Amino acid sequence: MSLVRSVCLFITFLSYLAISVHGQATARPGAGSGTRVGFYSTTCPTAETIVRNAVTAGFNSNPRIAPGILRMHFHDCFVLGCDGSILISGANTEQTARSNVNLRGFDIIDNAKTQLEAACPGVVSCADILALAARDSVVLTRGISWQVPTGRRDGRVSLASNANNLPGAGDSVAVQQQKFSDVRLSTRELVVLVGGHTIGQAGCGAFRNRLYNSTTGPADPTIDPTLLAQLQTQCPQNGDASVRVDLDTGSGTTFDTSYYNNLGRGRGVLQSDQVLWSDPATRPIVQQLMSPRSTFNAEFARAMVRMSNIGVLTGANGEIRRVCSAIN
């Protein structure tokens, strides 16, 4: 074989390897992601119980930590993959990004980690704790349970600048589709996962422009008049932007399909939510999920497993942090 051909074959192999590694970073579960159900069954058999008990204790003290932890997991996975980087504190970390400053539930994750380090030192990753805690948060709000594949390792990079492209409250359907497509999630998975807003809240600042300064007039005409009056009372034009409002009005603490029914009645609080009803690309999906035979819970569980395998670090990659808020 000539030297030139050998070099060409080697370059081709490197290109193939790069494509394979890139594909694995956001692979489908079971397609080489490296996680599996029961990863800690021998190395730390009480891991899931310890996490569940920590989340339950936190929830009993403050039920609002459930949507906070679920949102935290979303935000972690959409920035460099599900590697627990959202948990790292400090200047210019992901926590300091504008979209993350109101996240809550960090103390619950820290509590679980402290207990796990006492029971199984250096075994369970912070990324896995967060994935398990997100599932437990859904269960505590009367949603479905599912088996969480584990085996993630923790990332060492956390930069606020990496969190600039998270899905936003004013995003159109097209923008949301692109952001979900970037992490290999489909339009249907987009609509299903955003259904997590059934237990979510948002600060008045995230949607006040719809109440007083819409591009089509004084208020967004797609908002149900009764809801508009309610939101204007909760969020005065010059009031506190941090005051929080349920995204699923009338059922904000229960994991159910009420969120989708509200969209059909013009009662979506965020612009990014309400456009799921007005856009023909997503409206049929919303209609299916709000029907009496809705498969929302089962679809949400499957989509969460898919999302929780975005860009995971496994094997010799990453680390197992001793403290979730700081790299080793």
Side-chain angles (χ1 to χ4, degrees), residues 18-199:
I19 292 170
S20 299
V21 171
H22 175 75
Q24 183 175 335
T26 54
R28 292 175 182 269
S33 65
T35 60
R36 60 182 172 83
V37 173
F39 182 84
Y40 299 112
S41 59
T42 57
T43 55
C44 191
T46 58
E48 294 200 24
T49 300
I50 290 172
V51 173
R52 184 182 307 114
N53 289 344
V55 176
T56 300
F59 179 83
N60 289 340
S61 176
N62 176 14
R64 284 303 181 182
I65 63 99
I69 291 174
L70 182 60
R71 184 179 178 218
M72 191 191 305
H73 184 44
F74 273 71
H75 286 210
D76 184 43
C77 292
F78 270 77
V79 179
L80 301 180
C82 310
D83 65 352
S85 55
I86 187 67
L87 302 169
I88 299 173
S89 61
N92 300 317
T93 61
E94 290 172 36
Q95 287 187 24
T96 67
R98 181 178 179 183
S99 54
N100 290 333
V101 292
N102 291 320
L103 289 178
R104 62 185 69 185
F106 293 103
D107 56 327
I108 308 302
I109 306 302
D110 289 341
N111 181 27
K113 180 61 171 175
T114 298
Q115 294 182 54
L116 284 164
E117 284 300 299
C120 317
V123 173
V124 182
S125 70
C126 298
D128 276 344
I129 294 171
L130 183 52
L132 292 167
R135 184 269 312 275
D136 296 337
S137 295
V138 171
V139 174
L140 286 166
T141 51
R142 290 184 273 177
I144 193 172
S145 183
W146 64 90
Q147 291 187 308
V148 178
T150 45
R152 299 165 191 80
R153 288 171 67 85
D154 298 321
R156 297 186 178 97
V157 177
S158 182
L159 297 172
S161 57
N162 288 335
N164 291 334
N165 202 39
L166 284 166
D171 286 352
S172 66
V173 167
V175 170
Q176 293 181 71
Q177 285 176 311
Q178 185 59 59
K179 290 179 179 180
F180 275 70
S181 176
D182 287 344
V183 293
R184 301 190 180 185
L185 293 173
S186 68
T187 296
R188 188 172 189 91
E189 287 168 326
L190 182 168
V191 179
V192 169
L193 288 170
V194 173
H197 285 174
T198 182
I199 57 170

Side-chain angles (χ1 to χ4, degrees), residues 11 42 103 126 182 219 224 232 247 287:
I11 292 172
T42 57
L103 289 178
C126 298
D182 287 344
D224 169 70
Q232 287 177 333
L247 296 179
Q287 290 174 318

Side-chain angles (χ1 to χ4, degrees), residues 272-288:
S272 58
D273 287 348
Q274 192 57 51
V275 294
L276 298 177
W277 178 258
S278 58
D279 194 297
T282 48
R283 182 168 180 165
I285 304 172
V286 174
Q287 290 174 318
Q288 291 169 14

